[in-house]
Amino acid sequence: MSDLLLSVEGLTTEFHLPGFRFTAVDDVSFAVRRGETLGLVGESGSGKSVTAFSLIQLVAPPGRVTAGRVLFGDRDLLALSDAELCRVRGAEIGVVFQEPMAALNPIMRIGAHIVEALEVHGLARGAEARARAIDLLRAVRLSDPERQVDSYPHELSGGMRQRAMLAIALACGPPLLIADEPTTALDVTVQAAMLELLRSLQRESGLGLLLITHDFGVIAEMADRVAVMYAGRIVEQGPVRDVLQSPAHPYTRGLLESMPGGTPGQRLRAIDGTVPSPDARPEGCAFAPRCREARPGCSTVRPREVLLTESRRVTCHLYTGDVPAAADGQAEARA
Amino acid sequence: MTPLLEVAGLSKHFVTRRGWLRPPHTVRAVEDVSFAIAPGETFALVGESGSGKSTTGRCVLRLTEPTSGAVRFDGEDVLAFPPKRLRAARRDMQMVFQDPYTSLNPRMRAGAIVAEPLEIHRVGSSASRRDRVAELLALVGLDAAHMSRYPHEFSGGQRQRLGLARALALEPKFLVADEPVSALDVSIQAQVINLLMDLQARLGLTYLFIAHDLRLVRHIATRVGVMHQGRLVEVGPTAELFERPAHPYTQQLLASIPSLDPDARRRAS
Ligand SMILES: Nc1ncnc2c1ncn2[C@@H]1O[C@H](COP(=O)(O)OP(=O)(O)O)[C@@H](O)[C@H]1O
Ligand SMILES: Nc1ncnc2c1ncn2[C@@H]1O[C@H](COP(=O)(O)OP(=O)(O)O)[C@@H](O)[C@H]1O
Ligand code: SF4
Ligand SMILES: [Mg+2]
Ligand SMILES: [Mg+2]
């Protein structure tokens, strides 16, 4: 049996808005293996959440997945019927979002959410389902699970709610969990506990995790491999150690250099400018207006993804060879 | 050196009612907090949400009236200021917020937003105010052409710059910056942090910097105070506090910072 759990190829999602059309997810490819954590990192608006929604066909109009394949086992999720998709969501792919309140029904007790998931997927019902719900709440280390099973979402703190959400997502024992900024709204001590919980669940069950975040700290703590997203494209991906220690793409380098650290009180090495709005993206590399290493052709010629090593890919003209370096050779100065 | 700001035994209790059948409930948001900030310093307040950081900042500026305690600014008792004197004092003490969007009037253009404090305090003629606004926008790295834009036409980082330009209009000595970069992406956050450090060096500003990003605090603060459930549980010079945290809560907080080194991952709990 292959190790591969999820394989995404050329995923493209467009929004058709009055007057213009933009590509929120642009020819994105990545894979998640059994027991592995793939970190998807990027600043806000880069397309991380739309990617997550696209995988499980939850993009609502005016958005639409227009190309690609999402292979999960031997099925292409993009080709499944609604009924088949419903079976996959929840039973085979669990999902946790940044704001659990939006995903929980405020008038349903925590336990009822879990019981519903178990019943819908025909895994347990009645008293057995309730007992399983309590076990799950215990597994996500919610204190006093016998009592909390009857709590309403608003009665829990942010960290407890996020654990409850995780218990619901894991109710049917899915092999894959998609977690979109699961700790962003939490305090740092609560975040640390949540990340440790995810790690231990992975150790116990071999859960594959697609972890979406804007925080490189969370990536360094959790990910085996990382994919960096900018303006809808994955600009670099590879093993987490390699990417963090020797980032290949100028955007990845810029992000890591912007982070506070180094000598206290020194100026940070900020990236100039801002993320281009979707209607103002350059034709070529979307990072070109902010890139310190940009070459004359970068803003017009779209860079393709190239393999640096078997496990590392980068989408940048410094590596494609499609755009000549500036005549003065300045842009060649790199590590 | 005599401190610019001295806070002693500051407390703020909020009495809230949860329905009129239940007895009122007292939230001890800030409880017996004392610290001092020397001129030119960046004093950071850290702690989890709800620990009382913002309330402390607001009490210092008397945007919230403290329940008890003392606040001295430049040797004067701020809590004893009558309204007129307080208004004058506000020229020296300003606040920058996390989301300038909620603190900037959405129907005013950028130029008017920055000019407003000058008008309220009747500083200069209308012509000199115009020049001053252009100067302030340049100071925070905004183009003079931005003057006629509305807040929603700016990006998050630019809005934070605009909020800063307004806060700096009256040449304050002291800024309370409440999570000024928490809502910004890391690349933009770095731009605004650089700006705050530049302004401090150029204008000799003193900062009370409220934040929950401990990595950032370590980078810019000279001293740090750790708040927990309304109390200041530890205060110290930044390097010392990060290297040898004394209070168990500080230790827990620092141990929770995700490391940027994948090889330094925490093992099983
Ligand atoms: N329902 C929608 N309608 C129009 N544009 C959208 C919608 N949802 C997302 N977008 C746009 O798609 C882009 C990617 O968004 P998103 O995936 O949420 O970013 P991220 O999760 O990386 O912060 C953004 O420019 C966002 O404004
Ligand atoms: N106006 C108010 N009325 C009632 N309670 C308040 C008010 N402002 C703050 N609080 C409470 O005071 C405590 C401290 O809040 P705050 O100072 O905002 O914390 P922080 O800035 O550290 O997150 C919290 O429990 C909060 O709910
Ligand atoms: S393609 Fe050009 S502009 Fe884009 S990141 Fe690479 S060097 Fe910079
Ligand atoms: Mg998102
Ligand atoms: Mg606050």
Side-chain angles (χ1 to χ4, degrees):
Chain A
M1 199 175 73
S2 144
D3 242 12
L4 207 58
L5 201 52
L6 179 78
S7 170
V8 179
E9 296 167 9
L11 183 69
T12 303
T13 302
E14 295 180 357
F15 283 93
H16 293 244
L17 302 171
F20 89 110
R21 193 169 102 164
F22 83 96
T23 312
V25 177
D26 191 352
D27 194 14
V28 158
S29 302
F30 59 82
V32 183
R33 301 188 181 85
R34 224 166 277 280
E36 165 188 73
T37 298
L38 174 72
L40 182 59
V41 67
E43 296 180 293
S44 53
S46 55
K48 305 182 298 296
S49 295
V50 176
T51 301
F53 281 122
S54 302
L55 297 178
I56 47 175
Q57 291 267 50
L58 282 180
V59 182
R64 198 162 63 83
V65 178
T66 54
R69 298 203 298 169
V70 178
L71 299 173
F72 183 64
D74 50 8
R75 290 159 296 178
D76 180 356
L77 298 186
L78 300 183
L80 295 188
S81 68
D82 284 350
E84 290 168 315
L85 267 168
C86 283
R87 236 169 294 141
V88 171
R89 283 185 217 129
E92 298 177 63
I93 301 180
V95 188
V96 178
F97 297 100
Q98 172 173 349
E99 196 16 88
M101 266 325 239
L104 295 170
N105 183 338
I107 58 164
M108 243 167 93
R109 297 176 200 271
I110 295 300
H113 285 87
I114 302 179
V115 168
E116 183 180 56
L118 291 168
E119 288 184 351
V120 164
H121 296 291
L123 293 170
R125 46 180 54 261
E128 194 204 336
R130 184 182 161 85
R132 291 263 291 265
I134 293 171
D135 286 345
L136 276 158
L137 294 178
R138 190 173 296 118
V140 298
R141 323 271 196 276
L142 201 70
S143 58
D144 203 357
E146 282 88 358
R147 196 170 58 85
Q148 301 293 13
V149 72
D150 292 319
S151 304
Y152 288 98
H154 74 266
E155 294 174 313
L156 304 182
S157 69
M160 286 160 77
R161 225 179 271 147
Q162 209 44 300
R163 278 160 194 258
M165 188 67 221
L166 186 60
I168 298 163
L170 298 176
C172 303
L176 176 68
L177 180 71
I178 299 174
D180 189 357
E181 309 260 9
T183 61
T184 301
L186 305 178
D187 278 314
V188 61
T189 52
V190 184
Q191 163 171 289
M194 180 82 183
L195 295 181
E196 179 51 40
L197 170 64
L198 281 170
R199 269 198 298 260
S200 70
L201 291 171
Q202 275 188 296
R203 275 196 302 271
E204 287 157 22
S205 68
L207 183 72
L209 177 60
L210 173 61
L211 179 65
I212 296 176
T213 176
H214 65 275
D215 183 347
F216 266 110
V218 170
I219 291 290
E221 284 276 317
M222 295 292 291
D224 299 301
R225 288 186 310 113
V226 58
V228 182
M229 206 165 181
Y230 188 75
R233 297 191 82 185
I234 288 181
V235 296
E236 166 161 21
Q237 63 177 309
V240 70
R241 221 169 255 102
D242 301 355
V243 173
L244 293 191
Q245 280 162 11
S246 50
H249 196 282
Y251 177 60
T252 317
R253 278 206 281 275
L255 276 183
L256 289 168
E257 285 169 0
S258 320
M259 297 194 58
T263 315
Q266 278 207 331
R267 284 180 67 83
L268 299 169
R269 203 145 181 257
I271 306 177
D272 293 335
T274 54
V275 180
S277 66
D279 55 342
R281 279 185 200 156
E283 238 176 284
C285 173
F287 189 57
R290 307 176 74 191
C291 181
R292 291 191 202 106
E293 298 167 64
R295 301 170 171 200
C298 283
S299 53
T300 50
V301 182
R302 185 179 155 100
R304 60 197 163 82
E305 188 176 67
V306 294
L307 279 175
L308 286 183
T309 68
E310 206 185 325
S311 58
R312 283 193 81 178
R313 303 161 182 211
V314 62
T315 307
C316 166
H317 285 310
L318 298 179
Y319 309 90
T320 61
D322 295 345
V323 158
D328 60 3
Q330 235 177 329
E332 273 303 333
R334 304 192 329 263
Chain B
M1 202 184 306
T2 46
L4 181 66
L5 181 82
E6 229 180 324
V7 173
L10 184 75
S11 294
K12 175 66 190 181
H13 299 170
F14 291 104
V15 179
T16 56
R17 296 192 156 270
R18 289 176 295 180
W20 49 276
L21 288 177
R22 293 204 224 171
H25 167 81
T26 303
V27 178
R28 296 172 183 273
V30 176
E31 190 72 359
D32 195 18
V33 162
S34 304
F35 59 87
I37 308 181
E41 233 192 334
T42 299
F43 181 80
L45 275 182
V46 303
E48 61 197 62
S49 53
S51 58
K53 307 180 296 296
S54 296
T55 305
T56 302
R58 295 176 59 84
C59 284
V60 163
L61 301 183
R62 269 183 81 183
L63 297 171
T64 296
E65 287 297 330
T67 306
S68 60
V71 176
R72 268 183 296 277
F73 184 77
D74 236 352
E76 289 186 277
D77 181 357
V78 174
L79 302 185
F81 284 163
K84 200 167 162 212
R85 176 70 188 86
L86 182 62
R87 258 196 312 280
R90 290 258 161 83
R91 296 183 61 158
D92 287 333
M93 313 164 81
Q94 291 283 330
M95 182 131 180
V96 184
F97 300 89
Q98 169 171 354
D99 183 5
Y101 205 53
T102 55
S103 61
L104 301 174
N105 184 339
R107 279 183 289 274
M108 269 166 82
R109 294 176 196 271
I113 286 172
V114 177
E116 191 179 43
L118 298 169
E119 280 154 15
I120 292 173
H121 288 268
R122 301 209 178 83
V123 179
S125 63
S126 69
S128 73
R129 283 202 287 264
R130 251 195 102 74
D131 293 344
R132 175 76 180 134
V133 169
E135 191 183 302
L136 283 160
L137 290 176
L139 184 68
V140 299
L142 289 175
D143 209 276
H146 287 140
M147 238 189 273
S148 56
R149 289 203 197 166
Y150 290 98
H152 74 266
E153 297 175 272
F154 290 97
S155 68
Q158 287 175 323
R159 272 202 295 271
Q160 199 50 280
R161 290 174 192 272
L162 184 60
L164 259 171
R166 178 183 161 98
L168 294 173
L170 298 166
E171 300 180 58
K173 297 181 193 164
F174 177 67
L175 274 188
V176 175
D178 191 354
E179 310 259 8
V181 297
S182 303
L184 304 177
D185 276 314
V186 57
S187 69
I188 307 302
Q189 179 177 312
Q191 296 171 3
V192 175
I193 288 298
N194 284 342
L195 175 61
L196 284 167
M197 293 194 298
D198 289 348
L199 290 171
Q200 182 168 46
R202 284 173 65 178
L203 309 175
L205 291 167
T206 304
Y207 292 143
L208 171 57
F209 189 89
I210 297 172
H212 65 258
D213 181 346
L214 294 155
R215 224 180 276 129
L216 176 60
V217 163
R218 183 174 205 168
H219 193 79
I220 68 158
T222 45
R223 282 189 315 131
V224 181
V226 181
M227 289 196 74
H228 184 51
Q229 297 178 349
R231 292 184 179 271
L232 195 62
V233 296
E234 183 165 1
V235 188
T238 308
E240 210 169 287
L241 186 128
F242 273 82
E243 273 149 39
R244 286 181 301 280
H247 193 279
Y249 177 71
T250 313
Q251 292 165 1
Q252 191 196 349
L253 202 60
L254 297 186
S256 304
I257 309 174
S259 164
L260 277 176
D261 174 5
D263 294 324
R265 286 181 192 186
R266 281 187 295 277
R267 288 295 152 212
S269 46

